[in-house]
Structure formats: C-alpha cells, structure tokens
Amino acid sequence: MLILVTGLHVVLPMARPDGFAERCLQAYLHPDRDPMVIQSLFYSATLSLHALPILRGTQNFIVAPGLASSAVIPPTHHLQLKGFVLNRIRQKLPTMNGNNPHDDIIDDILLSILYLAANENLDRILPPEKSPFLPPFRRLQSMEFYGSCEFQPLHWQTVQHIISQRGGLSTVKLYGLAWLICISGLVVAVNANCKPAFPLIYPDGKPFVYRAPLQALAVRQPPRHVTLRNFGFQQLALLHPPVKGTIIRVFLDLTEMTQALQYLAGQPCGSRLLTLIGDTRSNIMHRLCSLPDQTDRPTSIFHKRTCTAEDQARATTVYIISRKTALLYSAHVVLPLPQTSLIRRKMTLEIHEYMLLLKGQRPEAELEILLWCSIVAGICADAMLAIQSWFVREARELCDGLKITTWDELSETLQSFAWLDCASDEAGKALWSQIQLCDGSTI
C-alpha cells in the first residue's frame, strides 16, 4: 500500500496540485469499490515509480520512502497486476446493460480501462526530447508522464464506447474520473492532430466554465492584441471572406495565454494558481483542437460574403495555416508535450505544403499572420534544414514587405499573435540571425 500511495503522489499532485490526489485516493480506495480499481491504481503507480528516474535523468530505479530497495516490485509483477485487472474487466463487462447506466461498477470499469490504456507503454517511456523551445510548467498536469503516451487503441475505444452508450461524461460520478477521461482525450487529440472526443469537465463532474486567460489567471495587464499596433489575430477578420469572430476569439485567447504565462513564469505559484494555469491552458488547447479544419465546410469558418471561389480558397488556406501553426506552437509552449519531434516534422511539412499554395501577390492582411507562421514553423523545422531554409527565405521576404529591420520590431509582431518570450526568444533570435544572413545580405 505504501508503494501505491507513494506512486500516486508522484503523479496525481502534478495532475491537479490543489488537493486532487487526496480526494482521488479517498474515492478510489473506498471499501465499496471493486478490487480492480485498487489493482489498476497499483499497476499504474508501480509503472510510474519505474518511469520517474528515466524522466528525471536520475538513478535506474526509485525506492519509495520507508522501503528497502528489495521491496521494489519487480517488472514481472506488473504483468500479474495487469492480468488481474483485465480478467476482472472481462467478468464485469457482460453485466453492463441499459438498465444500470449509473451503477458504480461502470465507473470502476471505466477507471480501470483508462489506466490500462494510459499506462500500456509507460514501462518503455523515453526521457523528454530536446525542444527548440524552453517552456515553463512542463510537469504540470503530469504532462511528462502522459503528454506523449500512446493510449492503447482498443482500450481507449472501449472507454469512448462505454461513455457514449451510457449517455456522456455527465453520467460519470466517481470523483476525478470524468476529468481524467477528458484530459486523456485532449492528449490523444493533440498528438493525433484531431478533434477531442469529449468536452472539458471539472473533477467534480461539472462542465468547464470559460473565462478569458488573463481574467481567469488574474493577470492585470491589458491584452497584447489590444495594445499592440496591429491587433494580432484580429487580422483574420480582414481576409476575404472574413473569419468568424468566435473563431478569432480562440486565437486571441492563445495570445492572452502566452502573455499570462510570461508573467506567471517569474512568479511564485501556489497549488491553487497552478491548478488554474493547468485548467486554463487545457481549455486553450481544447478549443484550438476543436476549431474547424480542412475537412469542414467553409461556412463553419467564414462569415457569408460575396467572393470568388479563388478568394475563398486563399482565405481558407491562410486560416488552415494559422490553425496548424497555433496548434504546433501550443504543443511546445502552452501545453508542452515531452515528445514533439514527430509532431514538429509532420505539422511543419503540412504548413509548408499549404503555404506553397499561396501563389501570386500577397494581400497586406496576410503578411503579418504568415510571418508569425513562418517564424514558428521555421523554428520547428530544426531537423529539416531544407524546409527550415525555405521558411527563412519566406520570413525574409515578409520582413522586407513589412519593413521589419530589427529583432525588436519582429518580436513585437510575434507578441501580437502568440509569443512566450521566456520560452521562445532564444530560438527566435537564432532564426532571426539566419534571416539577416539570407541571400548573403543584411535586412
């Protein structure tokens, strides 16, 4: 039991620092819960204890306080725990039917399947990759453990199926479980570049209440997209046809979130504030992932305007580039994932392909948006030198068009969109040096 409690207190407090671990343990260790709940938690806790030194770059194993090294559970026992949970789930699944959608046993089954799904590959976890960005709050919400974990597809599909058959997340009553499920869905969506399967839910099961990031985090600063001269993502309203205001608001929240994180990164943060930061950044990421993409109809993106098919196609391309870049930047800086090299490669190539579609003279409304996208994508193309060089040339051309001649001028433009200085300036200045040297001349 000591290993269980210690293992969970390694992971759960950073999932939600504000008393989440204690309330979860009280709920999950209740004597009325099915034994598979404790066994699945034990399975997760022991794997977490083995993964922790890999993630932190310490010794080859970690020993819970008060335990001798010989008391550490051997890896073979993980399989025994997993086997017990799987067998118990198989026994209980046939008892589920439409007449018992609110039975506690269904919550027990969901929790156990979720822990199996999330921990399937935790014993083979890799240390966090080196990122071109240096984001704060990397360990918050246990992202170092689960931010890039491969959810076992069959288990995850089973979780979704049970919840769908049951009537949605609102039917989940076990404390914290609905939140764990929706956060898991968000992690899956970010890594797979798809829309989240579930809405955001608080641990007590209540729907997430939206507030703009600066307001939610009590950062008493005017938003950059209001104070800086070019109004940032509000320029999406200048496309023809213009992007809908509700969509632009999501991008503006990303601007506010990076501004808030810049302020909070240098402040002492208690457990309540850390929880608010985690909730707010999850909301930003969830809303970005939920935005219409290239598979949706243009009517879901743009206001109705009389325009040519060519104009609409161009506006759609600029919007898709902006959406992909916002997701790419957020996965590195706002909700920083531990493994991002594959995401960087895939999304940077996609942004490059879409930018190649923008032929001909560029309208003024596109220049600053595409400059921000080029800088972010150029930084993220660190492992693809030919693609990075293309973005450098693109950024050079855009800087020429905007008469940007110094890093300070470029930095102000980037901040008006989304730019977390403490996480991005080092990489940004390195790319700026390449831009200055582009074609052997200085801007």
Side-chain angles (χ1 to χ4, degrees):
M1 182 61 71
L2 181 57
I3 292 179
L4 170 61
V5 174
T6 303
L8 291 178
H9 273 73
V10 167
V11 180
L12 286 179
M14 290 312 295
R16 291 186 68 87
D18 195 13
F20 181 71
E22 289 76 10
R23 292 195 62 180
C24 283
L25 286 172
Q26 289 174 4
Y28 301 167
L29 301 181
H30 193 278
D32 291 341
R33 301 244 77 91
D34 191 277
M36 66 178 160
V37 171
I38 294 178
Q39 296 293 342
S40 62
L41 293 178
F42 205 174
Y43 169 67
S44 174
T46 54
L47 285 175
S48 297
L49 284 172
H50 279 273
L52 185 63
I54 299 173
L55 295 171
R56 301 285 169 82
T58 56
Q59 69 270 25
N60 293 327
F61 61 87
I62 187 168
V63 180
L67 292 178
S69 59
S70 59
V72 176
I73 292 182
T76 53
H77 195 64
H78 300 159
L79 296 177
Q80 296 174 1
L81 291 168
K82 182 179 179 181
F84 175 90
V85 175
L86 283 170
N87 288 333
R88 190 68 177 172
I89 290 172
R90 292 191 186 102
Q91 293 172 12
K92 293 297 181 180
L93 274 177
T95 67
M96 292 175 51
N97 56 63
N99 297 323
N100 63 349
H102 301 289
D103 282 0
D104 288 345
I105 187 61
I106 303 182
D107 281 354
D108 295 350
I109 292 171
L110 277 172
L111 178 70
S112 300
I113 297 175
L114 179 66
Y115 270 71
L116 288 176
N119 291 283
E120 179 72 17
N121 298 301
L122 198 59
D123 58 339
R124 299 188 295 277
I125 198 168
L126 297 173
E129 292 177 341
K130 182 176 175 58
S131 168
F133 300 98
L134 302 170
F137 308 111
R138 294 192 68 167
R139 293 177 179 175
L140 192 58
Q141 294 176 308
S142 299
M143 280 298 121
E144 61 178 338
F145 280 90
Y146 299 112
S148 297
C149 75
E150 300 176 22
F151 281 74
Q152 208 280 341
L154 181 59
H155 294 328
W156 179 240
Q157 290 169 14
T158 303
V159 168
Q160 294 181 75
H161 176 73
I162 292 174
I163 292 173
S164 175
Q165 292 293 104
R166 200 179 182 189
L169 274 182
S170 61
T171 61
V172 177
K173 301 305 178 185
L174 179 59
Y175 179 81
L177 178 55
W179 180 80
L180 287 172
I181 291 171
C182 71
I183 289 297
S184 298
L186 178 59
V187 169
V188 170
V190 174
N191 281 283
N193 192 19
C194 63
K195 296 178 182 178
F198 302 106
L200 285 184
I201 299 288
Y202 287 117
D204 59 5
K206 295 179 181 178
F208 192 87
V209 177
Y210 165 78
R211 287 192 297 167
L214 290 175
Q215 178 189 9
L217 298 171
V219 176
R220 293 179 174 83
Q221 296 178 356
R224 287 173 174 172
H225 57 79
V226 172
T227 59
L228 297 181
R229 58 182 174 79
N230 60 1
F231 305 111
F233 287 115
Q234 294 182 78
Q235 294 179 64
L236 290 169
L238 301 178
L239 299 179
H240 189 60
V243 175
K244 290 182 176 180
T246 52
I247 293 176
I248 294 176
R249 181 66 247 180
V250 178
F251 285 97
L252 296 179
D253 282 349
L254 174 59
T255 306
E256 288 195 24
M257 191 67 203
T258 55
Q259 182 180 349
L261 289 174
Q262 177 64 29
Y263 173 79
L264 294 170
Q267 304 292 323
C269 297
S271 59
R272 183 176 181 277
L273 180 54
L274 287 171
T275 299
L276 283 173
I277 293 171
D279 284 344
T280 307
R281 73 181 192 178
S282 294
N283 177 52
I284 297 296
M285 206 71 198
H286 193 282
R287 296 177 75 216
L288 282 171
C289 288
S290 301
L291 286 176
D293 59 19
Q294 62 273 15
T295 66
D296 293 294
R297 293 182 177 181
T299 52
S300 65
I301 303 171
F302 302 106
H303 288 293
K304 283 188 176 181
R305 294 290 188 275
T306 301
C307 63
T308 65
E310 183 180 352
D311 285 342
Q312 181 170 285
R314 187 176 187 91
T316 301
T317 300
V318 173
Y319 165 76
I320 294 299
I321 291 170
S322 302
R323 181 185 184 275
K324 287 181 178 294
T325 306
L327 284 168
L328 178 62
Y329 188 69
S330 298
H332 286 83
V333 170
V334 175
L335 189 75
L337 305 181
Q339 307 287 331
T340 55
S341 58
L342 292 179
I343 292 176
R344 283 204 302 279
R345 178 178 179 82
K346 182 176 185 295
M347 295 192 71
T348 302
L349 288 173
E350 290 175 354
I351 293 167
H352 175 247
E353 290 173 2
Y354 272 95
M355 288 189 74
L356 288 174
L357 299 176
L358 297 175
K359 300 175 182 177
Q361 186 174 2
R362 287 176 175 156
E364 186 176 350
E366 297 177 4
L367 298 183
E368 290 190 347
I369 294 174
L370 293 179
L371 176 59
W372 175 74
C373 294
S374 296
I375 295 296
V376 171
I379 292 172
C380 290
D382 55 333
M384 299 177 290
L385 296 183
I387 298 296
Q388 186 176 63
S389 296
W390 186 91
F391 281 114
V392 166
R393 292 192 298 272
E394 191 73 7
R396 167 62 187 264
E397 183 179 330
L398 291 164
C399 283
D400 283 345
L402 292 164
K403 295 181 171 52
I404 291 175
T405 61
T406 67
W407 165 253
D408 288 343
E409 291 172 345
L410 176 60
S411 177
E412 182 177 338
T413 300
L414 298 174
Q415 288 173 358
S416 70
F417 290 94
W419 193 256
L420 180 52
D421 305 27
C422 64
S424 313
D425 272 0
E426 182 178 330
K429 289 177 180 178
L431 196 75
W432 172 247
S433 296
Q434 294 186 51
I435 294 170
Q436 288 182 299
L437 296 173
C438 186
D439 294 332
S441 60
T442 301
I443 295 177

